[in-house]
Amino acid sequence: MEAGGGGGQLFSVDPLERQAARGHGVVTSMAAGSDVIVLGTSRGWLVRHDFSFEDAHDLDLVSGRSGDHSVHRVFLDPGGKHCVATVVHPGGAETYYHHARWPRPKPLPRLRGLLVNAVAWNRQSITEASTKEVILGTESGQIFEMAVDEADKREKYVKPLFELTEQREGIKDLQMETAVVGNSTRYYVMAVTPTRLYSFTGIGSLETVFASYSDRAIHFMELPGEIPNSELHFFIKQRRAKHFGWLSGSGIYHGELNFGAQHSSTSGDENFVENKGFFDYSKLGDSGIKPRSFALSEFHFLLLIGDKIKVVNRISQQMVEELVVDDTPEISRGIIGLCSDPSTGLFYAYDESSIFQVSTSDEGRDMWQVYLDMNHYAAALSHCRNPYQRDQVYLVQADAAFAAKEYYIAASFYAKINYILSFEEISLKFISIGEQDALRTFLLRRLDNLTKDDKMQITMISTWATELYLDKINRLLLEDTTATTTNSVAEPNSSEYCSIVNEFRAFLSDSKDVLDEATTMRLLESYGRVDELVYFAGLKEQYEIVVHHYIQQGEARKALEVLQRRNVPVDLVYKFAPDLIMLDAYETVESWMMARNKLNPGKLIPAMMRYVSEPHAKNETHEVIKYLEFCVKDLNNENPGVHNLLLSLYAKKEDESQLLQFLNTKFGKGQTNGLDFFYDPKYALRLCLQEKRMRACVRIYSMMSMHEEAVALALKVDLELAKAEADKVEDDEELRKKLWLKVAKHVIEQEKGVKRENIKKAIEFLSETNNLLKIEDILPFFPDFVLIDDFKEEICKSLKDYNSQIEQLKQEMDDATRGADNIRSDIGALAQRYTVIDREQDCGVCRRKILTVGGLHQVGRSYTSVGHMAPFYVFPCGHAFHANCLIGHVTRCSNQVQAERILDLQKRLSLMDRKAAKENGASVNGESITSTTPVDKLRSQLDDAVASECPFCGDLMIKEISQPFILPQESDEKESWEIKPQPTPQKILPMTMSI
């Protein structure tokens, strides 16, 4: 094998099988698919080579019939399972079908007599068990549809689809492709004759598609010329046809296939061929020699001319290699043809006895250069394998644009170059010709191509681009100034200026995270771009600079908008509050109110104090009052400073109503342990006295519980106010009377004189005190020379009141005396109370007789006993208990504290009993001892503890409902009653298993 051209080889030829026909004549036809090759021989045999298993099978199509039988054409599906072969003999032609599983081929009777030249397989539907629909083309110009199932051992059907009638020529080759359109299938069929290429397409079945051409024109391409064998090939990639090639008498007609396209051709057909091309045989250099056969790869044509395979690039139409096949010409008539295996991407050449494999070695590796030489830059880029190849493409594009003085386009392409040309070289190209704008474009595009890891380079390029933007803006300003001076039209420059400024701001916004803050601000300041400086400061969250700038410009609203942003520190609001409220009080206060609880009103007091201290019109101060009222009423602010400031502003107003309303409002109402007010009352009092707000002072005195001062000051302002203040004291009768006496004295002094009308007015005052003051209380305030006749009525009324009070006291004394007598009678009756006990009555606890003698009376000798009977208790309900039993029962059923108290009383009573017995020399026979006062007291306490109520009828029995039937201390007793299962020996049951 020899190959032409320099560099690495794209294709190579290797012998695969020398005796391929295996003694069955010479090879006449060959087909390949899925690493399987089927050869047809001159003696009517098929030789199947399966290179996956390195196996070969000989299939006899003639079966001993006499005459010359030769295989005309062999067709193999892409999967290598289905094979169709046509045999020519003196009597005509016969078509056979063979499946890879069958031992011998089967004839297809319905095709007898038809010379089949072409077969097109449905690559999308074919399976191992069925061919599905297959198209066959005959020498007579007919097209048939056939289907064979491997299980049926014969064809399912054979349908005629179409026949060429206009120009009768034999169908030399067929190709078919399908595509799914909704729920239907669209068929694309190409058929070639020696001079024409026909195309058919439609939706439905194949029969429907071809039937539709009975009433519409057939689309075809005609290329005159003669050729030994007209061939049509599809290049298949991922089971889809990508492009085609037709070997015609004039040249190779080729194009790309787009089966999703719906382009309309001039003939009205839907054409699925794009980027059509034509390769003229004259480019091969061999005059008059036409290829005997050809094959189609992804990027090349393989043309069989003589014993050579010439490789032509399909895109550039240049011959790139020439392969010579070592076919031992002394015993061979040369290479017969080429075929391809679409499944493996391999190509094969064959002669009468041998098979040669034509392999590709990365045939697309240089396609980027091919496209680049043709100036097809997009295609070149799509075929680049590495960054260096892409740089070559970008460099050619950039140089071409630079030469054409399209500097912006050149800058964009130069920016994409990373390896073959340095950043400095490209920059100098633009600097040398003074193209600052193109240089800026280059820098911006270069930034787009850098990765996040190139931080330093990004910062440097961004800073350079910033300076170029500033330089451009300054140049435009100079041009505008010059244009204005010369009275020329400056509108284009103005629009360009606005555009470049907006572009610069967008750049600052995009690059804010990579630009060095200090350097950028110095650049902006040096160029005098204050607006952009403020804009960049805002981007970098340097809000102090932004707000300060707006305040200097007198733009309070813009400054407030900046301060209202979420990420602005609240301290800046406090810092600029004094300046902003002086600049625009209304907008500032509205902004504060919108912030609600985000602001601390206490920190805004200095700003409000500054605003209030300045002279303003009367209607301006209300903005501060409005904000303070909002804080106090809506936000429920409890800051004393806020309340004090609001109170001070109210105090300075001429109308005292708001001040009094503020003082009367209980701001802490509804809060747990909340205060009624949060301002400083002493400060409020001092301020109101200073501003001479006397009613407010009275209210403050009252809140401070300084009622005497409140009444005294109220008497100077309004008598009714003084009366109201005096009446507020409810819990101190003496103080209330004292206050009313002050008011009375003031009233009498105001009504000085001896006229009866004045005295009557003073006396009428007594009725307003609700009988708190009497006539004798106010008499000292009258002059000594006032006649008593004027007070006669009041004095008599007072004497009557005293008399009724004396009678009421006498009645109460009589009632108390009768009550004492009744108590003494009840005490005497208690001493004589008794009850009758049945001698058979049992103790409620021990169930023994209550009147049991001896043994049970050892509780305490201080209990009174009769004879030798044990002490006992009897309750009105009828239950009776021995003293010892009752004490024990109550102790068990009471809580621990009560039980310990009862036991302690019992112990103390017993000790005192022994002590008394020893001192009196009493005997131990149980005789009663005279009770002493301490013993009686202890006995009374013990009686109260255990016998205050019947344990069976009182609360003690009710409490026992919640106690369990079995107490924890009785767990041992409970376990003794449990029935435990007796252990029984385990029985083993016999098991039988039947099989």
Side-chain angles (χ1 to χ4, degrees), residues 1-18:
M1 187 276 295
E2 297 178 2
Q9 295 178 339
L10 298 176
F11 293 85
S12 60
V13 179
D14 298 294
L16 188 62
E17 188 70 37
R18 285 295 185 183

Side-chain angles (χ1 to χ4, degrees), residues 13-15 18 325-327 335 348-349 351 354-358:
V13 179
D14 298 294
R18 285 295 185 183
V325 182
D326 183 10
D327 62 340
I335 302 299
Y348 301 95
D351 61 11
S354 303
I355 303 173
F356 303 89
Q357 179 175 295
V358 182

Side-chain angles (χ1 to χ4, degrees), residues 29-33 36-40 74-77 83-84 339-340 348 350:
S29 180
M30 186 177 104
V36 175
I37 293 177
V38 177
L39 301 174
V74 177
F75 309 98
L76 187 65
D77 80 294
C83 177
V84 175
C339 71
S340 63
Y348 301 95
Y350 62 95

Side-chain angles (χ1 to χ4, degrees), residues 576-609:
F576 291 105
D579 296 329
L580 288 171
I581 198 170
M582 295 299 295
L583 190 61
D584 191 334
Y586 174 79
E587 291 292 343
T588 303
V589 169
E590 288 295 321
S591 173
W592 293 351
M593 291 172 67
M594 286 177 61
R596 297 187 66 83
N597 290 320
K598 295 179 182 178
L599 296 179
N600 181 1
K603 294 185 178 182
L604 296 172
I605 290 177
M608 292 185 282
M609 291 293 293

